[in-house]
């Protein structure tokens, strides 16, 4: 039996022109469909023609960036690939959890991405080149 029911195909036809990503649509359709399955069905249905640009990602507010949740809301079994995977506690402990908020950048929500993805500091030589002093 195919994973592509008529209801899923109709939902795909409605979501694709809105500019949603294939991964977002796969999550919305559920049932274990993958990004690649969505892209394959889009190609077979000829839906790529006339598609609007993908939606721009929502910029996190300052509050979201500064205030990560105090405890996790997801477990290792309930977290989805579109959820933040910031760990709370030690993996062996019974209280271990993951953030679980929608991911904004990589595997993390906006607040945890601001912590996790820090730019590498410039070396002295790099600073000298930047200032135009070094050869």
């Amino acid at each position: 039996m195919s994973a592509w029911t008529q209801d899923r195909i109709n939902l795909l036809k409605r979501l694709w022109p809105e500019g949603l990503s294939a991964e977002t649509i796969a999550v919305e359709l559920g049932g274990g469909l993958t990004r690649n399955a969505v892209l394959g069905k889009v190609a077979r249905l000829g839906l790529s023609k006339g598609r609007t640009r993908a939606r721009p990602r929502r910029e996190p507010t300052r509050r979201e960036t500064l205030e990560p949740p105090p405890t996790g809301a997801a477990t290792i079994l309930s977290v989805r690939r579109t959820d933040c995977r910031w760990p709370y506690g030690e993996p062996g402990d019974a209280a271990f959890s993951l953030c679980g908020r929608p991911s904004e950048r990589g595997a993390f929500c906006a607040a945890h991405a601001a912590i996790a993805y820090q730019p590498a500091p410039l070396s002295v030589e790099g600073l000298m080149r930047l200032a135009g002093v070094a050869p």
Side-chain angles (χ1 to χ4, degrees):
M1 182 172 176
S2 174
W4 287 103
T5 64
Q6 192 58 48
D7 288 339
R8 282 188 175 152
I9 292 170
N10 292 340
L11 185 56
L12 173 64
K13 287 179 178 180
R14 186 170 47 90
L15 295 176
W16 184 256
E18 292 179 9
L20 295 175
S21 71
E23 182 175 4
T24 302
I25 293 172
V27 170
E28 185 71 27
L29 294 173
L33 288 175
T34 64
R35 170 187 170 274
N36 285 339
V38 169
L39 291 173
K41 193 64 169 180
V42 163
R44 288 189 298 279
L45 293 173
L47 298 177
S48 292
K49 300 171 190 86
R51 178 180 155 109
T52 60
R53 285 186 47 213
R55 288 184 186 175
R57 292 196 104 157
R58 181 183 64 85
E59 289 298 319
T61 64
R62 180 131 177 98
R63 181 174 180 188
E64 286 176 329
T65 302
L66 297 177
E67 296 179 17
T71 60
T75 67
I76 195 73
L77 297 175
S78 69
V79 71
R80 298 178 315 207
R81 67 178 162 197
T82 58
D83 295 340
C84 178
R85 295 183 211 112
W86 188 268
Y88 287 96
E90 293 295 319
D93 292 345
F96 179 74
S97 62
L98 301 169
C99 173
R101 293 194 318 184
S103 59
E104 292 284 331
R105 183 174 173 208
F108 304 117
C109 64
H112 289 125
I115 298 167
Y117 301 119
Q118 297 286 323
L122 285 176
S123 64
V124 173
E125 293 82 18
L127 288 173
M128 298 293 279
R129 277 194 305 273
L130 186 62
V133 179

